Amino acid sequence: MQFTTLINVALLVTGSLAYSNNCKGSSNSPSITDCQEAIRRIDEGSDYGDGSEFSVGNCYMVYATNGAGEQKLSGKNIRDTAQSILDSCGHHKGSYGTNNCDSCHVTVNYRAPKKF
């Protein structure tokens, strides 16, 4: 019985440390066309580190580790995570964990278009 209790506590603690997916962001929504273009620009065969940005137009897209170091991640994982946000979150914005570290995530959000 003690062993089962230890496993349950370990699972509870581990589950609470993982990144909490959300569909929050700006009060404005990014262009789905811009977001799809941003996803297309991610090379599935490359690895990316903290702060890698793939933004296009008014669609802000970034892979971040929130202070957990470089934490390289495949472009395929980043693309799949970004696509999940677009498919699952109304208004096409949010942050989803990437499961390679507790604070690692992909964020898709609105950004004001750059003026030249």
Side-chain angles (χ1 to χ4, degrees):
M1 179 152 162
Q2 287 179 344
F3 183 71
T4 305
T5 302
L6 287 175
I7 290 175
N8 288 338
V9 169
L11 290 173
L12 180 63
V13 169
T14 302
S16 66
L17 295 177
Y19 190 84
S20 180
N21 294 349
N22 69 76
C23 293
K24 299 177 183 175
S26 170
S27 59
N28 295 320
S29 296
S31 159
I32 188 69
T33 303
D34 288 349
C35 290
Q36 289 168 338
E37 179 59 28
I39 287 174
R40 280 191 291 276
R41 292 184 180 187
I42 300 169
D43 181 357
E44 287 190 357
S46 293
D47 289 331
Y48 295 94
D50 182 36
S52 295
E53 187 174 332
F54 314 97
S55 303
V56 171
N58 72 11
C59 182
Y60 174 75
M61 189 175 293
V62 66
Y63 164 64
T65 68
N66 287 4
E70 194 63 8
Q71 301 290 334
K72 292 287 189 180
L73 187 66
S74 73
K76 176 159 181 22
N77 192 316
I78 294 170
R79 283 181 78 155
D80 291 347
T81 304
Q83 189 63 56
S84 291
I85 294 169
L86 295 183
D87 292 344
S88 302
C89 292
H91 307 291
H92 319 299
K93 58 192 171 196
S95 294
Y96 278 21
T98 52
N99 298 319
N100 60 318
C101 83
D102 290 338
S103 60
C104 295
H105 64 282
V106 170
T107 294
V108 177
N109 204 351
Y110 173 84
R111 71 171 183 174
K114 292 184 178 181
K115 295 180 181 178
F116 296 96

